[in-house]
Amino acid sequence: MFFLQQSKWRLPLIILTILVLLGGVLLLLSSEESVSTDAPQAKREVQLVSAKELAEKDQFVTALGTVESSQQVDVRAKRSGQVMKLNFRKGQYVNAGDVIAELEREDLDAEVLQAQANVDSNRAVYSRMANGARPEDVSILEQKLVGAQQKLKELERGSRAEEVEISRTQFETSQISLGDAEISLDNTTDKAERDIASQIQSAENSLRSSMVTINSILDQSLADIITVKTFTTGAHCVLKISGGNNQENVLTGCSEALVASREFEALLKGLPEDMSTEEMQSTLQTAEQFMNPTRKFLADILVFLNGATGLEDFNKTFTDTLRSTFKSTVTSSQSQLESSISSLNTQREILMNLIVTSQTMIDDAKRRVNDAENAMKKSEQEFELKQTSAPEETIAIQKAQIRELEVQIEIAKKGERPEVLSQQLAAIQQSQGSLARAVATKNKAIVQAPVSGTLIFLPVDLGDLVNTAEIVATVANEDDLMVKAFITEKERRLIDLGADVTIRDTLARGVVTTLSPALDPQTKKLEIEVAISQNKEELIIGETVYLDITQDATLQIMRIPLAALKLKAQQSFVFIVNDDLTIQTQEVVVGKVFAESIELISGLRPDDLIIPVIAGLQEGQEVVVAKRSEKPIGTPFDLQMNTSQQTQEDFPSPEFSSETSSLGNDIDSETSESLQ
């Protein structure tokens, strides 16, 4: 019963509570609306810009380009080789044909000389063939003919007894001469071998003496400066002086010198008993390489001593006198080491000269033996002929020699036959071709400037090795500059050849001279070239610049920034300011959308003043008009940056209707899609 009575009163109470809450909410909303309506709004300062001014800034295409020279040439090496000479430095002016660099060409010079000698020789032969030989040459041939005819007579009549005896004596004498030449060859060879063996032993002694010098320097001479401690893992260097600036270099150099000295010892222990000259020369060269770490180590110690301040032994004081003593010790060690290295070099030179001299003497002795053998064979043949009557074939050979001499004499007096002269002319032409090829190959070692201009790139130095087709230099004419840039296909439709171009942030001016007819397959852009005609001295080859390219006047359209436009449903508005300084909307008709602007078809006159950036503004709002500046109007982004300097309170949040959404500056999505 009690439960039913409570349920009877519960429903009215709930309804009453809801009504009270709704009344409170309505009262609160009414109060807030009254407060917001009665509260004064902060006046916003705005700029007013004419539609013409906003449109003018969009009458050009902006592109990013690189400054180049229209006469810029990469000079490449025509052959590989080492750079032996550089005649210019980067930044210097060169004339067309100037030799910038020269590569090694000693072998090429020799080839040219040989080819020239062949040409001269063939020409001389042709001259003799065409004009006949000199009188003295003819006389020599005639004397040979007389001797050959006399010998034929002797062969035909046979030899007398006294002639046979004379021939026998000549043959025996030639045998003795051959024996003497062979003995001389044996003696020369034995002496050369003894001299070389003695020199090899002397070089080995110098090697062992050098090893003693290094050990003495490392183990004894520097004992007061550095200590070498030996462990199972190897030797370790410890400085006994502190304070030097290059302590790490000294310790590293000491370790490297120790390792090199151990390798030097191993080299000497492995020397064969009978070393060849080639083996000894290689050993001497290797030994010097093992001594170089000690040479560097001593130089590092001298630098270290200049900054040293203390000693490991605290009972001693590090004085300038002690420093001088240490430096004197190191200098003495350097002298000993340099003397040893010089001795090894001397041994290598002596051995090399001895090899050349000995071989020359042996070759001379062999030549004398060969000459004696030929002389003996000739005298033997003559002796055999004297003893017996000459056979018919010998007489026939002699007659043939006589006929050949007679033909040679006739040619020497009258000149060669035409067919032989033609063959010699062909030989001359062939040798001239070889000469031309040799000269062309030699010229490839010369790097010349193909055009006049400034050396803006010189990546090589003396001694560098360059490969064929490698860039050695770049020559550019700084008086004839251009800019290469890339633009989109849409931007291409807005400009034409001859369009005026301004280089941003400079006084440089130019015109479009080249428009690529096709898109780059990679970037999908077109390349353009701009010839710089004014103030080109403000530009630097290789720098990146911004280009403002004036559009074709026939393609120019009226545009306003998107930041100045408000779109609602199917209508477009701009904001203007009334005489009472309140904002009023002005309906306009727009067309194509660009990057930061939109085409204005109608609704504004060129001199109409509008607000270029309407973000945070609304119709009916009171504003303060900023004083107009003579400064040219910038981009919409610039205008936004200018207004952003005001406080957040100056920018009340815009109220959007349910029909609009924010695309850029209050552009609803439906309208945006239609503009695209």
Side-chain angles (χ1 to χ4, degrees):
M1 186 70 176
F2 176 74
F3 175 76
L4 292 174
Q5 290 177 352
Q6 282 189 336
S7 300
K8 181 178 179 180
W9 291 101
R10 181 177 297 175
L11 182 59
L13 289 174
I14 293 173
I15 294 174
L16 179 61
T17 303
I18 293 174
L19 291 174
V20 171
L21 291 174
L22 288 174
V25 170
L26 291 174
L27 179 61
L28 179 61
L29 292 175
S30 175
S31 300
E32 290 181 353
E33 182 177 357
S34 175
V35 171
S36 63
T37 303
D38 296 338
Q41 294 184 351
K43 292 184 179 181
R44 166 91 168 275
E45 184 178 70
V46 298
Q47 286 182 298
L48 292 180
V49 184
S50 69
K52 178 182 178 182
E53 289 177 305
L54 289 173
E56 285 178 348
K57 68 180 181 62
D58 285 324
Q59 302 308 316
F60 56 81
V61 173
T62 300
L64 189 66
T66 303
V67 179
E68 297 182 3
S69 171
S70 59
Q71 296 184 21
Q72 180 171 316
V73 182
D74 289 333
V75 186
R76 300 179 181 271
K78 297 180 180 179
R79 70 186 299 267
S80 60
Q82 187 176 22
V83 179
M84 305 303 294
K85 190 175 182 181
L86 282 175
N87 299 322
F88 294 91
R89 297 188 303 274
K90 185 167 64 175
Q92 287 187 311
Y93 186 85
V94 295
N95 293 308
D98 283 348
V99 178
I100 299 173
E102 298 179 21
L103 307 183
E104 54 184 341
R105 58 178 186 177
E106 290 80 0
D107 55 335
L108 304 180
D109 291 337
E111 292 178 4
V112 171
L113 292 175
Q114 180 62 47
Q116 183 63 58
N118 292 338
V119 172
D120 295 341
S121 175
N122 285 324
R123 285 175 175 171
V125 171
Y126 178 81
S127 178
R128 289 196 299 270
M129 287 181 173
N131 302 322
R134 296 174 300 174
E136 53 268 30
D137 294 333
V138 175
S139 177
I140 292 174
L141 290 174
E142 289 176 342
Q143 291 175 7
K144 288 183 178 181
L145 177 61
V146 171
Q149 291 172 340
Q150 182 64 32
K151 185 175 182 179
L152 177 62
K153 290 180 181 180
E154 293 177 356
L155 291 174
E156 289 176 339
R157 66 177 174 80
S159 302
R160 297 188 297 274
E162 58 273 18
E163 292 177 345
V164 173
E165 188 60 28
I166 292 173
S167 181
R168 181 198 303 275
T169 301
Q170 291 176 344
F171 173 55
E172 292 174 349
T173 301
S174 65
Q175 288 178 316
I176 295 173
S177 298
L178 176 59
D180 292 341
E182 290 175 341
I183 293 173
S184 176
L185 175 60
D186 293 338
N187 292 336
T188 301
T189 303
D190 291 342
K191 183 178 184 303
E193 291 176 351
R194 290 194 303 272
D195 291 344
I196 290 176
S198 176
Q199 185 56 40
I200 289 177
Q201 183 60 49
S202 176
E204 184 175 342
N205 294 338
S206 294
L207 286 169
R208 300 189 184 281
S209 176
S210 297
M211 185 70 254
V212 172
T213 299
I214 290 180
N215 288 337
S216 175
I217 291 173
L218 297 178
D219 297 338
Q220 300 175 13
S221 300
L222 305 178
D224 292 335
I225 301 174
I226 195 165
T227 300
V228 179
K229 296 183 178 181
T230 305
F231 303 94
T232 56
T233 57
H236 181 65
C237 300
V238 178
L239 278 169
K240 302 176 71 175
I241 301 175
S242 62
N245 296 328
N246 62 337
Q247 180 174 338
E248 291 297 328
N249 291 345
V250 173
L251 292 175
T252 301
C254 177
S255 299
E256 292 175 352
L258 287 174
V259 172
S261 68
R262 300 299 180 264
E263 293 177 346
F264 196 174
E265 288 181 355
L267 175 67
L268 295 182
K269 289 179 181 179
L271 293 180
E273 293 185 1
D274 296 326
M275 293 187 67
S276 65
T277 54
E278 292 80 5
E279 290 174 334
M280 178 51 74
Q281 285 180 315
S282 177
T283 301
L284 290 170
Q285 187 172 3
T286 303
E288 183 176 350
Q289 295 175 357
F290 287 152
M291 298 174 75
N292 283 332
T294 303
R295 173 190 281 172
K296 180 179 179 300
F297 170 49
L298 293 174
D300 288 339
I301 289 180
L302 280 180
V303 176
F304 173 76
L305 289 174
N306 289 331
T309 58
L311 289 169
E312 184 184 58
D313 187 355
F314 294 103
N315 295 324
K316 294 182 180 180
T317 303
F318 192 81
T319 62
D320 289 340
T321 301
L322 191 58
R323 188 198 314 275
S324 178
T325 301
F326 286 157
K327 293 177 70 173
S328 177
T329 300
V330 175
T331 303
S332 176
S333 298
Q334 285 181 318
S335 299
Q336 295 175 24
L337 182 64
E338 294 300 328
S339 177
S340 296
I341 294 175
S342 177
S343 175
L344 295 184
N345 290 332
T346 301
Q347 291 292 338
R348 188 165 66 246
E349 292 177 1
I350 292 175
L351 182 59
M352 187 180 300
N353 293 334
L354 182 59
I355 292 172
V356 174
T357 302
S358 299
Q359 188 61 47
T360 301
M361 295 177 62
I362 292 174
D363 291 343
D364 289 342
K366 288 180 178 180
R367 180 181 51 77
R368 289 194 294 271
V369 169
N370 186 64
D371 292 344
E373 286 179 346
N374 293 333
M376 187 198 70
K377 290 178 181 179
K378 182 178 179 180
S379 61
E380 183 180 13
Q381 292 174 354
E382 291 180 354
F383 175 59
E384 290 176 352
L385 288 175
K386 297 292 184 181
Q387 286 180 315
T388 60
S389 299
E392 292 183 1
E393 59 269 19
T394 302
I395 295 175
I397 291 174
Q398 190 62 29
K399 289 181 179 179
Q401 291 178 353
I402 291 174
R403 286 194 297 272
E404 179 64 24
L405 286 171
E406 289 173 344
V407 172
Q408 290 181 8
I409 292 173
E410 182 179 1
I411 292 175
K413 290 181 177 179
K414 298 181 180 180
E416 191 57 86
R417 299 186 303 276
E419 59 271 20
V420 178
L421 291 177
S422 297
Q423 293 176 357
Q424 189 59 29
L425 280 175
I428 292 175
Q429 293 174 350
Q430 184 177 2
S431 61
Q432 287 176 332
S434 299
L435 174 61
R437 285 192 296 272
V439 172
T441 303
K442 175 183 175 181
N443 290 338
K444 289 181 179 180
I446 300 175
V447 181
Q448 292 179 291
V451 296
S452 298
T454 303
L455 275 176
I456 64 171
F457 186 51
L458 191 64
V460 299
D461 204 347
L462 286 177
D464 287 353
L465 290 174
V466 297
N467 298 317
T468 303
E470 182 177 344
I471 295 178
V472 178
T474 300
V475 181
N477 184 356
E478 294 182 308
D479 294 330
D480 192 4
L481 299 183
M482 67 174 182
V483 178
K484 282 188 178 181
F486 291 88
I487 59 175
T488 64
E489 183 180 2
K490 291 182 179 180
E491 292 170 336
R492 166 64 181 89
R493 298 189 179 98
L494 300 177
I495 62 176
D496 205 349
L497 290 174
D500 293 331
V501 179
T502 299
I503 311 301
R504 194 176 295 178
D505 299 328
T506 72
L507 297 177
R509 301 291 184 270
V511 294
V512 176
T513 56
T514 303
L515 286 170
S516 176
L519 291 172
D520 184 280
Q522 300 296 328
T523 63
K524 300 301 180 183
K525 291 188 175 183
L526 296 99
E527 184 181 62
I528 67 170
E529 293 182 3
V530 175
I532 305 302
S533 57
Q534 299 179 28
N535 301 313
K536 60 187 71 177
E537 65 276 0
E538 292 196 16
L539 302 179
I540 301 174
I541 294 176
E543 73 171 319
T544 301
V545 295
Y546 280 98
L547 307 178
D548 290 332
I549 308 170
T550 303
Q551 295 183 14
D552 187 344
T554 61
L555 301 176
Q556 291 180 0
I557 59 177
M558 180 72 74
R559 288 187 279 176
I560 60 174
L562 286 171
L565 190 68
K566 181 178 183 66
L567 300 181
K568 181 183 294 186
Q570 299 299 321
Q571 293 177 301
S572 304
F573 301 93
V574 295
F575 282 5
I576 63 176
V577 178
N578 292 325
D579 294 338
D580 60 355
L581 299 181
T582 59
I583 295 177
Q584 178 183 331
T585 58
Q586 173 74 38
E587 185 176 359
V588 293
V589 179
V590 294
K592 296 180 180 179
V593 176
F594 296 89
E596 296 178 346
S597 60
I598 189 169
E599 180 183 7
L600 178 64
I601 297 176
S602 64
L604 286 178
R605 293 170 299 181
D607 294 332
D608 287 343
L609 299 176
I610 67 173
I611 300 176
V613 180
I614 66 173
L617 301 176
Q618 57 187 342
E619 186 176 9
Q621 181 178 344
E622 290 188 17
V623 294
V624 176
V625 178
K627 183 179 180 181
R628 298 199 63 191
S629 172
E630 297 299 328
K631 183 178 179 180
I633 300 299
T635 64
F637 177 76
D638 296 331
L639 294 169
Q640 289 174 330
M641 292 297 293
N642 292 335
T643 58
S644 67
Q645 296 175 0
Q646 302 181 37
T647 63
Q648 185 65 30
E649 295 177 354
D650 295 332
F651 286 79
S653 301
E655 297 180 358
F656 297 95
S657 69
S658 60
E659 299 173 339
T660 63
S661 62
S662 58
L663 173 64
N665 296 291
D666 303 336
I667 304 176
D668 63 83
S669 58
E670 180 183 353
T671 308
S672 176
E673 291 175 359
S674 67
L675 292 176
Q676 300 299 328

